Amino acid sequence: MPSTSAGRETFGSRLGFVLAAAGSAVGLGNMWRFPYLASEGGGASFVLLYVAMTLVMGIPLLLAEFGIGRRGQAAPVGSLRALGGPAWGRVGYMFVTAGFLILAYYAVIAGWTLRYALDAVANGFASDAAARFAEVSAGVDSAIFHVVFMLLTILIVVGGVKGGIERASLLLMPMLLLLVIGLALWAATLPGAREGYVVYLKPEIGELLNPAVWRAAASQALFSLSLGMGGMLTFASYLKRDANLPQSGTAVAFMDFGIAFIAGLTVFPVIYSLGLAGSVGESTVGALFIALPGAFEAMGFVGRVVGLFFFLVLAVGALTSTISLLEVVTASVMDELRVSRPAAALATGTAVAALGVLPAMDTDVLGLMDKIAGEFMLLAGALVLSLFAGWRIRDQLGEELLAGATAGWQRQVPRILWVLRWVVPAIVAVVLAFSLRGTLAAVAEFFGGGVPFQPG
Ligand code: TRP
């Protein structure tokens, strides 16, 4: 049985690990993808399905990643190889590739949030929000802010697990939580907020039966919990055996859902109180980057201040996510090539920054990368993970989840293993089949003349 390897970096505290994992989970997915998908997929019907997917599929997979990482004491390639043999190790490269690709476009969107925060400070939001978005989102400006965001990310990852990632999370996550709650309280005071809440919280039964909404809910549950490419696995590889994995995983999932839910309590009232619902439906990126700055601009000075906080929240959330994405790639290079952390972080971060110039120049490329890596590769990764966890290493995983857990949590472990073996692969396989068609269509459309940016 592998034990904690001497010399491997570790988190300094339990809270540090939980907040770092929550930081990975909470990001653009919560504040931009979630409200957008909710507005598309019948509001509360999507929210309900998303909660169900998080409970049935998200938490078990999160615990699978936690268990595999802590037992394997290595990044995805090394951990899968240690527990499953060389062939499984090769599967780990798919995870690293997915992380690399996701980071390349995710950091582009993160760069936009930084840009809008600067706008709020410098000159206020533009009155023509759509034109401003066109300037910000594609071209040299977008590439520059993307590179700046990657530099910030590299800087933190170079600092190491404890001195970089954990320290940043302990500082940024409480700040983020306060800001998100503050924004939601402010949004409650808007005239017409009620209408927004109704759309957000009242299920339309018809949408509950729509397979597209199911697919969106499943893919969002994975994306939002950073599952399917070994991000959580890598963080857990820095844990000692005394950590209570089932408890930590449940805490992370609740924080992630909580922040997505509270973000919705801001986005919906703002959009509905200004009658912008139509513009959100038309364009997918528009939900955040066109409708909201437009709304903030219309509110004058107050809007400028609130808008600044809003985009700061996004930027901070994005940063704690980009560090986890870069950490997967960096840690893999460190493990496999035995190079130092600064060299690995700089080399992989620079490569990501270079690749990201493509989606930064063209939002169609960005949309395509999101479909391929952010949806399809994560689903494939989740399928592989659940099969590995539920069939190949079930006993080892069970033992690992029991270690450090209190009696109450230990009782959940057999149930979790059963779900990983039977339920998760079944759900993911069905969703993957649907998604494959969508992804292939997107690729065909791209090469036939551009696909509009449509996450989910
Ligand atoms: N979960 C993050 C979000 O919701 C994004 C993210 C970070 C991610 N690491 C990941 C997504 C790994 C998929 C895989 O914004």
Side-chain angles (χ1 to χ4, degrees):
M1 176 180 61
S3 62
T4 313
S5 47
R8 190 167 180 80
E9 293 175 79
T10 55
F11 281 101
S13 67
R14 244 178 231 205
L15 183 68
F17 165 71
V18 169
L19 289 187
S24 167
V26 174
L28 297 170
N30 301 58
M31 284 158 289
W32 155 76
R33 217 170 186 255
F34 172 78
Y36 156 64
L37 290 175
S39 72
E40 277 271 282
S45 309
F46 170 82
V47 179
L48 270 181
L49 286 173
Y50 168 67
V51 172
M53 289 293 183
T54 300
L55 291 175
V56 173
M57 184 177 85
I59 293 180
L61 275 171
L62 178 61
L63 294 180
E65 287 211 17
F66 277 2
I68 295 169
R70 188 174 66 176
R71 201 171 180 85
Q73 291 287 304
V77 177
S79 278
L80 287 173
R81 187 174 50 220
L83 304 185
W88 282 100
R90 262 169 255 133
V91 173
Y93 285 106
M94 182 180 90
F95 291 0
V96 182
T97 308
F100 189 86
L101 293 174
I102 292 173
L103 181 53
Y105 72 83
Y106 192 93
V108 171
I109 308 174
W112 303 343
T113 67
L114 216 53
R115 182 61 183 274
Y116 275 106
L118 274 187
D119 265 11
V121 175
N123 358 287
F125 298 105
S127 49
D128 187 343
R132 182 64 184 154
F133 179 70
E135 286 166 13
V136 165
S137 64
V140 178
D141 287 33
S142 171
I144 290 173
F145 278 85
H146 157 69
V147 171
V148 168
F149 211 90
M150 281 309 300
L151 283 175
L152 284 174
T153 307
I154 294 170
L155 213 65
I156 296 175
V157 170
V158 165
V161 174
K162 201 153 139 186
I165 296 171
E166 180 169 359
R167 201 150 61 129
S169 307
L170 285 169
L171 176 78
L172 296 175
M173 290 308 288
M175 195 172 111
L176 187 117
L177 186 66
L178 284 181
L179 283 172
V180 173
I181 293 175
L183 284 169
L185 291 177
W186 164 80
T189 67
L190 291 173
R194 240 190 83 89
E195 198 198 333
Y197 293 142
V198 170
V199 176
Y200 183 34
L201 301 174
K202 195 164 151 257
E204 285 172 41
I205 302 303
E207 291 288 330
L208 272 180
L209 301 174
N210 180 350
V213 180
W214 279 71
R215 186 184 117 202
S219 108
Q220 176 65 6
L222 295 180
F223 187 90
S224 190
L225 279 174
S226 308
L227 296 172
M229 46 69 69
M232 294 298 190
L233 186 161
T234 305
F235 275 3
S237 76
Y238 303 120
L239 281 180
K240 300 193 201 92
R241 286 204 100 199
D242 59 355
N244 184 341
L245 295 181
Q247 184 191 43
S248 302
T250 309
V252 169
F254 274 92
M255 271 188 252
D256 183 49
F257 173 72
I259 293 194
F261 187 77
I262 301 172
L265 291 177
T266 302
V267 172
F268 279 83
V270 170
I271 287 172
Y272 280 85
S273 84
L274 282 137
L276 294 168
S279 60
V280 178
E282 282 163 28
S283 142
T284 62
V285 207
L288 230 111
F289 292 100
I290 297 174
L292 287 178
F296 292 139
E297 202 272 334
M299 289 173 195
F301 182 72
V302 175
R304 202 165 150 179
V305 175
V306 172
L308 170 64
F309 284 124
F310 190 87
F311 285 105
L312 274 182
V313 164
L314 275 163
V316 167
L319 183 61
T320 53
S321 296
T322 54
I323 58 185
S324 86
L325 285 159
L326 183 60
E327 178 62 19
V328 175
V329 189
T330 298
S332 305
V333 169
M334 286 169 67
D335 283 356
E336 298 305 308
L337 305 179
R338 309 239 161 256
V339 292
S340 72
R341 172 173 282 277
L346 204 64
T348 54
T350 307
V352 171
L355 177 64
V357 170
L358 295 175
M361 300 308 284
D362 184 349
T363 43
D364 287 347
V365 175
L366 197 159
L368 187 69
M369 289 173 77
D370 184 53
K371 272 259 179 278
I372 295 174
E375 185 178 320
F376 183 73
M377 290 179 83
L378 289 186
L379 283 163
L383 183 62
V384 168
L385 266 175
S386 59
L387 293 175
F388 185 65
W391 294 86
R392 177 75 181 81
I393 59 154
R394 188 176 56 149
D395 297 340
Q396 290 186 73
L397 181 64
E399 209 181 285
E400 193 61 38
L401 292 178
L402 291 174
T406 51
W409 289 103
Q410 285 185 340
R411 273 195 289 282
Q412 303 299 323
V413 170
R415 192 169 305 164
I416 292 163
L417 294 174
W418 187 85
V419 171
L420 276 171
R421 191 176 176 100
W422 299 106
V423 183
V424 178
I427 300 179
V428 178
V430 171
V431 177
L432 187 66
F434 276 115
S435 161
L436 182 59
R437 284 173 44 196
T439 305
L440 289 176
V443 172
E445 206 180 320
F446 178 80
F447 289 103
V451 50
F453 185 23
Q454 278 186 344

